[in-house]
């Protein structure tokens, strides 16, 4: 298991146990290593970033130091090399940053406890989400919340700290989780929609067209939808899209998550199984360290804008893997992997022909160290008569990021992705085992593989930190962030 630890700095007061420091805001500290001569990584190396405590699971040869410039999303200073001075580092010290991760979300507000698994009412997740003002939501209960209606996040500045739940965490069943506002950060939740409601009535065809598991929607909040971060989420069994983004969303990061098993032939009435759709007018999107599993298309599809795509593993893609459509787009793709099941019967029509497909009139893409199995090319040179312009340096890069090599992603993707890696539910465990053994296939219904799984219901009283906004030990990190860190350490 790869351990996550964090930089301590007063300018980085965001939920460090979730997201690390983004590099796009003035005043944020650099992600470059800090010399600490009193910390010894191994027998010979004494350099260490304060954000990393190592366990030997990642070596220097597994790392790439990628430095880009996103001030105006123009070509800027760029270097890429195998890093020789990092020693060994934790995964979390690598997958830092992403657009929007410099938001504090709800950390400077009230702390609200979820104490039951009810759909609504006092002590429920819905009630906590519906509160106004900055708020951090924590959990004294584990289990499945059987939603009776869509769960909308309409009020901004909220942090949903799923890692605070007792093992094995929280699963949301039957309805969509939708973000309609800005500065929303959530971690360690499972969202498993499925094709039936909380009374196990089958979904109708009319309901299916909007049956996404997670929606991030612009245009609902007059201030916009931006600074949205999904980290260590597990999203599956959608009837339409697993995740849908539209309406002009900006500064979005989805990181270290499992996005898998969208349903294929179901109430939708189409051959579907689509994972992630990012519609026009969205920009500054980071997808980092995710597992896309059994997606017929859209891992993701993005219609214009800017996309940073780093260390993702696409398993068993169908007609397309990553695709761009309709509008000009700038894309950076570094250290990604595409692979397939051994048995061709488990694939969709043989699988995607290439990692990246363009239907855009102007696609500018930077490729570095991506790995496609079975001699599938990195990209199609031309689609519908329009060329892909391959860049020599990335135009899209949020901050300074150290990425894993594609080979290391191939070897270890199952170590970090999804909710509660140390306490996975049966669904995530099965998906990851399929990737490791080159097995598994598409589902038409969650019932094809056992249906909604039981999530153990446990209670644990939380003792909240005193003076949560203070920094009692003077290390630059608030008491609340350190408290949340302890729960993250316990489950990752």
């Amino acid at each position: 298991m790869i351990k996550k630890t964090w930089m301590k700095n007063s300018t980085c007061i965001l939920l460090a146990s979730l997201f690390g420091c983004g590099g796009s805001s003035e005043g944020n500290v650099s992600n470059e290593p800090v010399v600490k001569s009193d910390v010894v990584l191994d027998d010979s190396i004494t350099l260490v970033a304060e954000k990393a405590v190592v366990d030997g699971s990642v070596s220097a040869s597994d790392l790439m130091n990628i430095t880009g410039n996103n001030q105006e999303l123009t070509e800027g200073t760029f270097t890429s090399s195998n890093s020789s001075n990092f020693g060994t580092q934790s995964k979390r010290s690598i997958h830092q940053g992403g657009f929007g991760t410099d938001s504090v979300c709800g950390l400077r507000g009230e702390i609200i406890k979820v104490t039951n698994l009810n759909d609504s009412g006092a002590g429920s997740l819905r009630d906590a989400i519906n509160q106004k003002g900055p708020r951090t939501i924590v959990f004294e209960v584990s289990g499945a919340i059987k939603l009776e209606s869509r769960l909308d996040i309409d009020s901004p500045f909220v942090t949903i700290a799923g890692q605070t739940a007792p093992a094995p965490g929280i699963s949301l069943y039957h309805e969509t989780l939708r973000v309609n506002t800005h500065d929303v950060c959530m971690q360690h939740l499972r969202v498993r929609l499925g094709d039936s409601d909380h009374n196990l009535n089958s979904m109708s065809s009319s309901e299916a067209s909007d049956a996404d598991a997670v929606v991030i929607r612009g245009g609902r909040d007059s201030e916009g939808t931006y600074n949205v971060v999904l980290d260590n989420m597990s999203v599956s069994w959608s009837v339409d899209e697993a995740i849908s983004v539209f309406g002009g969303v900006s500064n979005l990061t989805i990181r270290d998550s499992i996005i898998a098993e969208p349903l294929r032939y179901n109430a939708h009435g189409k051959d579907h199984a689509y994972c992630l759709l990012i519609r026009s007018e969205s920009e500054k999107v980071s997808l980092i360290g995710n597992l896309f599993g059994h997606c017929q298309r859209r891992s993701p599809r993005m219609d214009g804008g800017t996309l940073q795509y780093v260390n993702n593993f696409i398993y068993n893609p169908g007609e397309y893997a990553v695709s761009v459509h309709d509008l000009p787009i700038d894309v950076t793709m570094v250290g990604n992997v595409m692979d397939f099941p051994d048995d061709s019967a488990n694939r969709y029509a043989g699988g995607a022909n290439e990692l990246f497909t363009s239907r855009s009139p102007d696609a500018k893409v930077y490729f570095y160290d991506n790995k496609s199995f079975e001699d599938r090319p990195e990209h199609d040179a031309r689609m519908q008569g329009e060329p892909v312009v391959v860049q020599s340096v990335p135009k899209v890069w949020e901050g300074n990021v150290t990425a894993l090599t594609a080979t290391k992603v191939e070897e270890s993707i199952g170590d970090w992705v999804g909710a509660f890696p140390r306490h996975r539910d049966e669904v995530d465990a099965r998906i990851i085992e399929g990737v490791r053994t080159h097995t598994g296939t598409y589902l038409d219904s969650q019932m094809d593989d056992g249906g909604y799984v039981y999530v153990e219901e446990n209670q644990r009283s939380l003792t909240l930190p005193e003076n949560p906004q203070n920094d009692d030990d003077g290390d630059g990190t608030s008491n609340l962030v350190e408290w949340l860190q302890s729960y993250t350490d316990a489950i990752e």
Side-chain angles (χ1 to χ4, degrees):
M1 181 60 61
I2 299 177
K3 183 179 180 181
K4 303 177 183 178
T5 60
W6 297 95
M7 182 184 300
K8 296 179 172 65
N9 188 286
S10 59
T11 64
C12 183
I13 196 171
L14 71 160
L15 182 45
S17 59
L18 283 171
F19 310 122
C21 294
S24 61
S25 291
E26 184 176 355
N28 276 359
V29 296
S30 169
N31 285 339
E32 290 301 307
V34 177
V35 175
K36 281 180 65 71
S37 59
D38 58 333
V39 178
V40 179
L41 298 183
D42 56 30
D43 292 338
S44 60
I45 300 173
T46 57
L47 278 173
V48 61
E50 286 188 327
K51 60 197 173 191
V53 172
V54 301
D55 60 3
S57 56
V58 179
S59 67
S61 62
D62 296 321
L63 304 178
M64 299 178 293
N65 186 26
I66 312 293
T67 302
N69 171 18
N70 78 314
Q71 297 303 310
E72 298 296 333
L73 296 177
T74 57
E75 297 184 22
T77 303
F78 172 76
T79 60
S80 62
S81 63
N82 284 332
S83 176
S84 60
N85 67 336
F86 284 88
T88 54
Q89 297 196 16
S90 71
K91 189 280 304 183
R92 177 57 78 188
S93 72
I94 298 163
H95 286 171
Q96 297 228 20
F99 291 114
T101 59
D102 51 359
S103 171
V104 299
C105 293
L107 289 175
R108 291 176 179 162
E110 182 183 4
I111 302 173
I112 303 174
K113 293 180 180 180
V114 175
T115 58
N116 60 60
L117 300 172
N118 298 340
D119 170 77
S120 60
S124 69
L125 175 59
R126 190 185 300 273
D127 185 65
I129 284 174
N130 287 343
Q131 302 299 312
K132 306 295 184 183
R135 58 216 184 276
T136 295
I137 298 172
V138 299
F139 295 82
E140 292 191 328
V141 62
S142 70
I145 299 176
K146 299 176 181 179
L147 297 173
E148 299 180 16
S149 61
R150 189 179 65 218
L151 184 58
D152 283 279
I153 302 175
D154 293 322
S155 182
F157 300 110
V158 58
T159 294
I160 304 177
Q163 74 271 30
T164 58
I170 295 291
S171 295
L172 306 180
Y173 288 162
H174 305 299
E175 291 284 349
T176 299
L177 173 64
R178 190 168 78 176
V179 177
N180 301 314
T181 188
H182 59 87
D183 294 283
V184 176
C185 299
M186 63 183 79
Q187 185 187 33
H188 288 288
L189 296 176
R190 306 180 191 95
V191 185
R192 307 212 190 280
L193 182 67
D195 58 15
S196 60
D197 66 15
H198 66 286
N199 290 319
L200 299 183
N201 297 312
S202 296
M203 184 178 295
S204 68
S205 58
S206 62
E207 295 170 319
S209 60
D210 294 322
D212 305 319
V214 175
V215 171
I216 304 167
R217 180 178 182 177
R220 302 283 290 182
D221 188 319
S222 60
E223 295 183 356
T225 300
Y226 56 87
N227 292 347
V228 178
V229 181
L230 278 61
D231 187 271
N232 281 102
M233 301 284 285
S234 295
V235 182
S236 61
W237 300 345
S238 55
V239 177
D240 197 22
E241 313 288 336
I243 302 177
S244 183
V245 181
F246 62 95
V249 175
S250 64
N251 290 303
L252 165 67
T253 289
I254 303 174
R255 192 170 65 187
D256 297 343
S257 295
I258 297 174
I259 307 167
E261 293 187 349
L263 303 180
R264 189 173 173 186
Y265 291 108
N266 202 278
H268 201 289
K270 300 178 181 179
D271 184 0
H272 218 57
Y274 294 171
C275 265
L276 173 56
L277 175 61
I278 306 170
R279 300 302 298 267
S280 59
E281 301 179 350
S282 296
E283 62 177 1
K284 294 187 178 179
V285 175
S286 297
L287 303 176
I288 304 173
N290 301 296
L291 171 60
F292 293 89
H294 310 290
C295 306
Q296 201 264 102
R297 296 187 186 186
R298 304 179 183 175
S299 299
R301 167 183 162 173
M302 187 165 177
D303 299 346
T306 47
L307 173 63
Q308 180 183 27
Y309 196 80
V310 179
N311 283 170
N312 298 288
F313 195 120
I314 307 172
Y315 180 68
N316 198 18
E319 193 171 1
Y320 303 119
V322 180
S323 63
V324 297
H325 289 237
D326 301 337
L327 297 171
I329 188 168
D330 290 304
V331 183
T332 295
M333 299 186 67
V334 172
N336 302 290
V337 178
M338 182 172 73
D339 201 1
F340 303 91
D342 291 335
D343 188 343
S344 60
N346 290 332
R347 305 183 189 185
Y348 179 96
N353 291 322
E354 62 274 329
L355 176 61
F356 178 85
T357 302
S358 174
R359 289 182 172 178
S360 166
D362 183 12
K364 297 182 177 68
V365 190
Y366 174 78
F367 297 101
Y368 187 78
D369 189 49
N370 298 294
K371 188 172 185 178
S372 298
F373 284 84
E374 301 188 357
D375 298 321
R376 312 283 169 117
E378 199 166 43
H379 66 93
D380 63 335
R382 187 174 294 268
M383 188 71 176
Q384 293 189 346
E386 300 293 345
V388 172
V389 179
V390 178
Q391 304 285 80
S392 59
V393 296
K395 293 186 70 175
V396 184
W397 200 264
E398 190 284 324
N400 299 324
V401 175
T402 303
L404 289 168
T405 62
T407 297
K408 190 63 179 179
V409 172
E410 176 196 354
E411 294 172 351
S412 57
I413 185 70
D415 293 344
W416 69 70
V417 290
F420 278 68
R422 292 189 185 183
H423 306 278
R424 298 195 186 280
D425 73 352
E426 297 171 21
V427 179
D428 282 351
R430 172 174 49 75
I431 291 168
I432 289 171
E433 181 63 16
V435 173
R436 287 174 169 157
T437 59
H438 292 86
T439 57
T441 190
Y442 290 80
L443 302 183
D444 293 332
S445 169
Q446 73 279 357
M447 300 307 296
D448 291 350
D449 213 323
Y452 298 101
V453 300
Y454 172 72
V455 183
E456 186 175 350
E457 299 178 9
N458 294 311
Q459 294 278 344
R460 176 181 61 194
S461 178
L462 293 175
T463 302
L464 301 179
E466 295 184 8
N467 305 312
Q469 305 305 324
N470 290 0
D471 176 16
D472 288 352
D473 58 9
D475 64 354
T477 302
S478 72
N479 296 341
L480 175 57
V481 166
E482 292 182 343
W483 182 81
L484 291 168
Q485 171 72 62
S486 68
Y487 288 97
T488 304
D489 290 345
I491 64 169
E492 296 185 357

